[in-house]
Amino acid sequence: NAGVTQTPKFQVLKTGQSMTLQCAQDMNHNSMYWYRQDPGMGLRLIYYSASEGTTDKGEVPNGYNVSRLNKREFSLRLESAAPSQTSVYFCASSWGLDSYEQYFGPGTRLTVT
Amino acid sequence: DAKTTQPPSMDCAEGRAANLPCNHSTISGNEYVYWYRQIHSQGPQYIIHGLKNNETNEMASLIITEDRKSSTLILPHATLRDTAVYYCIVPYSGGSNYKLTFGKGTLLTVNP
């Protein structure tokens, strides 16, 4: 039972490049989330998915797109990376949006030069 | 979210109980208190939550005062691996706000 897994663990991009961060959970959770954490700051919600087939914007969605591929997988895409997107990205899941018992993955450390 | 106040740092000796306080004086009657922790370079980890009764699980105990304005997270036998930032969170219970708001938390350092 792996919980929430994320790939890759580390990534370096040049400005303007694109990439997709992958996230999968094996807890049969309905809801999934993408957060970013900048040094010395708290987590900020980028996008979330209440259930399979639905996605909604969080507080910092600009520059990102998401896909809820199926119940297990929720990917985050950067179409044209910018240095301001240098951050640690965490994926999380929960039974539902009304459950704040969220389980987090290990994170992807992204640097955009 | 109801505002929470935590001390910025605490120390604890290995094997002793760690008691982490949190004030949440503006909490509403139907709002829960959640505790998370983040070990350096790892993702946040859910610990426990409660409404008004004391709660215990395999990781910790949560004591909520009768007026619900404060709570204490207790790690009964702290180990070096419990060194982390601990967050007390009272999520917004109404509307379409589904994010967890992590404040600055308490850095707990467990010393040998």
Side-chain angles (χ1 to χ4, degrees):
Chain A
N1 195 348
V4 179
T5 57
Q6 293 183 236
T7 55
K9 287 186 169 52
F10 300 93
Q11 185 71 50
V12 179
L13 291 178
K14 295 187 188 305
T15 297
Q17 288 184 318
S18 63
M19 78 162 296
T20 300
L21 283 64
Q22 306 286 353
C23 173
Q25 52 92 9
D26 62 3
M27 295 174 282
N28 203 33
H29 284 167
N30 293 308
S31 301
M32 298 185 73
Y33 315 80
W34 276 105
Y35 291 87
R36 61 177 287 176
Q37 185 174 37
D38 299 314
M41 295 182 65
L43 275 73
R44 291 184 290 172
L45 183 65
I46 306 171
Y47 271 92
Y48 64 94
S49 170
S51 60
E52 185 178 354
T54 69
T55 60
D56 282 290
K57 296 178 180 179
E59 56 184 316
V60 288
N62 290 344
Y64 305 95
N65 285 302
V66 291
S67 295
R68 184 73 182 268
L69 304 170
N70 48 55
K71 191 171 186 179
R72 290 186 63 249
E73 298 172 290
F74 189 37
S75 63
L76 179 72
R77 183 161 178 84
L78 286 71
E79 291 290 353
S80 179
S84 61
Q85 294 178 305
T86 294
S87 189
V88 181
Y89 291 85
F90 291 105
C91 177
S93 69
S94 69
W95 284 111
L97 287 186
D98 58 353
S99 170
Y100 291 100
E101 186 177 332
Q102 296 182 11
Y103 292 85
F104 287 77
T108 294
R109 282 148 186 80
L110 174 67
T111 301
V112 183
T113 61
Chain B
D1 295 1
K3 183 176 172 61
T4 61
T5 304
Q6 300 177 254
S9 63
M10 295 182 65
D11 285 332
C12 177
E14 189 177 19
R16 305 298 292 266
N19 296 283
L20 293 96
C22 179
N23 288 322
H24 32 78
S25 58
T26 61
I27 194 170
S28 299
N30 60 348
E31 289 180 322
Y32 284 74
V33 180
Y34 283 75
W35 283 83
Y36 280 77
R37 72 180 182 183
Q38 188 169 22
I39 297 169
H40 183 60
S41 298
Q42 296 184 21
Q45 179 185 22
Y46 164 80
I47 301 174
I48 199 168
H49 72 279
L51 182 64
K52 53 185 175 182
N53 296 322
N54 298 338
E55 303 287 346
T56 296
N57 63 20
E58 64 279 2
M59 289 184 67
S61 294
L62 174 60
I63 309 297
I64 302 174
T65 57
E66 193 167 342
D67 64 8
R68 302 210 324 120
K69 293 185 176 183
S70 66
S71 60
T72 301
L73 180 74
I74 301 172
L75 307 179
H77 305 286
T79 70
L80 299 179
R81 288 177 296 178
D82 292 321
T83 293
V85 179
Y86 287 77
Y87 298 97
C88 169
I89 302 169
V90 178
Y92 179 59
S93 62
S96 58
N97 184 359
Y98 305 114
K99 65 183 175 75
L100 287 168
T101 300
F102 289 76
K104 296 198 181 298
T106 296
L107 173 60
L108 174 69
T109 302
V110 181
N111 300 303

